[in-house]
Amino acid sequence: MAEQQTGAAAGKLVIRNIGLMLSGDLARPILDADTIVADKGTIVAVGKAADVDAGGAATVIDAKGTTVAPGLIDSHVHPVFGDWTPRQSQLGWIDSFLNGGVTTMVSAGEVHLPGRPKDVVGVKALAVTAQRAFAGFRPGGVKVLAGAPVIEQGMVEDDFKELAAAGVTLLGEVGLGGVKAGDEAKHMVAWARKYGIQSTIHTGGPSIPGSGLIDRDVVMEADADVIGHINGGHTALPFDQIRDLCADTRRSIEIVHNGNEKAALHALRIARDIGQLERVILGTDSPAGSGVQPLGILRLIAMLAALGDVPAEQAFCLATGNTARQRRLGCGLVEPGRAADFVIMDKAQHSAGRTILDSVRLGDIPGIGMVVIDGVVRVGRSRNTPPATIVPEVVA
Ligand SMILES: [Zn+2]
């Protein structure tokens, strides 16, 4: 239990007999390798069985010819505390996402906290507390990067300096607090950036009564690092504005499950047409009014591959390597030095697809057989996905 909560790293881990290895890297999404070796939670070797040192492992997983990908990253969640969300009165939602292959989550603000403070001292105190709480408690081993303050009027440069010194690395969605004007937000976003705090902005119409419209001009003026839910959360901007945000900025293009799907496909198409697919990252934007989706990232991958004309192996990169690079995370890619976070999958039983990638192209989501975080097996056959045709096994 203690290990699950702290995410303590394991000893040597070998995953062998991998049929398809997805790297998370758009430039080379499929690796010609069948074995991964990790030690103390970090990948140390990736290659053919004959070429890597697989001896002396504490844990050996036989993938039985199935598919290994980096653990999925949800770029946009709204946690509160522990494995509880008041938004839809759910317990255990993070553990449910683990069963959907998600090993890392990035908070876009702990905005659902009942009585969330709006004064500057309270905003800062909540951010530090949330960062500490999720650093110390990892439901099922999932890494929840939280403590993402939502900027309010009256914040000054020293506030961002103080937050950064206290360990805060993220700003919650700009626009969900009292600061909604671009000229006001841009100073705070720049101060945050100066001290190494990455920012995200709400894009599109109001999410719920009380929040507001953030249009193209505000997004461009505020210049946050991540164009949060470019496909709306849920209400999307007009398509010409989405096009401009893709083509006329260099910021991360975040597509979310709880947004407008037509707008998601539009943003994806623009990003591909301008040759900047590496900027596209995926999130669920949950818990939210639309609910809590344990399979949200897998569903987005399947939707974009099936309807967005992105090869399935590239669609997985949007939720892994792209997010890791855009957000400067140490996971998301199968390469030495990265976190040993993996999702082991196979095509779902009775999918019409011939292979797992074929099944995703057809719009099916894969079956998850095992999830590994920091070199530790966290779950076996998923309780939430359709059953995988073949399930990996811990053999030593
Ligand atoms: Zn939002």
Side-chain angles (χ1 to χ4, degrees):
M1 193 61 177
E3 180 178 77
Q4 285 228 331
Q5 291 185 0
T6 61
K12 187 169 180 179
L13 166 77
V14 172
I15 308 177
R16 68 182 195 207
N17 199 12
I18 297 168
L20 174 67
M21 197 178 299
L22 300 177
S23 69
D25 182 2
L26 265 184
R28 198 161 68 115
I30 296 175
L31 298 178
D32 183 22
D34 58 20
T35 306
I36 296 172
V37 181
D39 196 20
K40 298 183 182 66
T42 301
I43 300 170
V44 294
V46 180
K48 294 286 193 185
D51 303 328
V52 299
D53 174 15
T59 306
V60 177
I61 298 169
D62 182 352
K64 297 186 178 176
T66 61
T67 298
V68 172
L72 306 179
I73 305 168
D74 188 332
S75 172
H76 193 130
V77 295
H78 291 294
V80 172
F81 284 113
D83 201 354
W84 164 71
T85 172
R87 193 68 184 85
Q88 301 297 345
S89 299
Q90 286 199 14
L91 289 170
W93 70 277
I94 295 170
D95 189 72
S96 281
F97 275 59
L98 172 64
N99 277 265
V102 173
T103 56
T104 296
M105 296 178 162
V106 183
S107 174
E110 295 78 38
V111 292
H112 302 317
L113 178 75
R116 170 168 66 96
K118 307 279 173 64
D119 63 294
V120 175
V121 170
V123 165
K124 291 191 291 186
L126 172 59
V128 174
T129 305
Q131 187 277 328
R132 294 291 189 281
F134 280 105
F137 175 67
R138 290 173 38 179
V142 176
K143 302 165 188 176
V144 183
L145 309 177
V150 173
I151 53 175
E152 296 287 352
Q153 285 171 350
M155 293 181 80
V156 297
E157 179 172 345
D158 271 352
D159 292 319
F160 295 89
K161 187 178 181 183
E162 188 186 322
L163 283 165
V168 170
T169 61
L170 300 163
L171 276 196
E173 278 180 75
V174 173
L176 295 189
V179 177
K180 298 184 192 298
D183 59 350
E184 198 175 8
K186 73 178 180 189
H187 299 292
M188 296 187 190
V189 165
W191 289 328
R193 185 175 293 128
K194 178 177 173 184
Y195 296 105
I197 297 174
Q198 191 179 56
S199 54
T200 297
I201 190 164
H202 173 97
T203 308
S207 295
I208 51 172
S211 66
L213 165 71
I214 304 287
D215 67 8
R216 167 191 55 198
D217 295 343
V218 175
V219 173
M220 284 189 171
E221 189 170 17
D223 195 30
D225 298 305
V226 176
I227 303 169
H229 54 62
I230 195 165
N231 58 320
H234 183 111
T235 310
L237 294 174
F239 276 22
D240 62 326
Q241 294 197 22
I242 292 174
R243 183 196 58 224
D244 292 350
L245 290 176
C246 292
D248 297 344
T249 79
R250 302 291 298 172
R251 300 305 183 189
S252 305
I253 299 167
E254 186 189 72
I255 292 174
V256 301
H257 181 277
N258 287 340
N260 175 319
E261 288 164 321
K262 194 177 179 79
L265 292 167
H266 177 67
L268 180 74
R269 198 167 300 123
I270 301 290
R272 195 188 47 217
D273 289 351
I274 62 175
Q276 294 179 13
L277 212 49
E278 72 276 5
R279 287 168 57 204
V280 178
I281 61 179
L282 307 185
T284 54
D285 192 3
S286 71
S290 295
V292 185
Q293 296 86 9
L295 306 185
I297 296 296
L298 280 178
R299 284 168 50 83
L300 257 186
I301 289 169
M303 192 274 282
L304 297 174
L307 304 178
D309 298 323
V310 170
E313 63 271 24
Q314 289 188 19
F316 277 97
C317 300
L318 309 184
T320 53
N322 275 16
T323 315
R325 284 173 172 154
Q326 295 283 311
R327 289 195 173 277
R328 304 189 297 270
L329 307 175
C331 55
L333 291 153
V334 177
E335 66 180 20
R338 295 272 172 175
D341 299 348
F342 309 108
V343 54
I344 309 180
M345 309 169 283
D346 196 16
K347 70 171 184 171
Q349 289 177 14
H350 301 291
S351 168
R354 284 175 301 103
T355 64
I356 183 171
L357 295 178
D358 195 32
S359 73
V360 173
R361 268 192 292 275
L362 293 176
D364 286 338
I365 56 175
I368 289 177
M370 192 174 284
V371 182
V372 174
I373 301 178
D374 288 338
V376 177
V377 176
R378 306 294 175 161
V379 289
R381 188 195 282 277
S382 167
R383 68 170 185 265
N384 288 333
T385 65
T389 304
I390 298 173
V391 175
E393 196 180 340
V394 176
V395 292

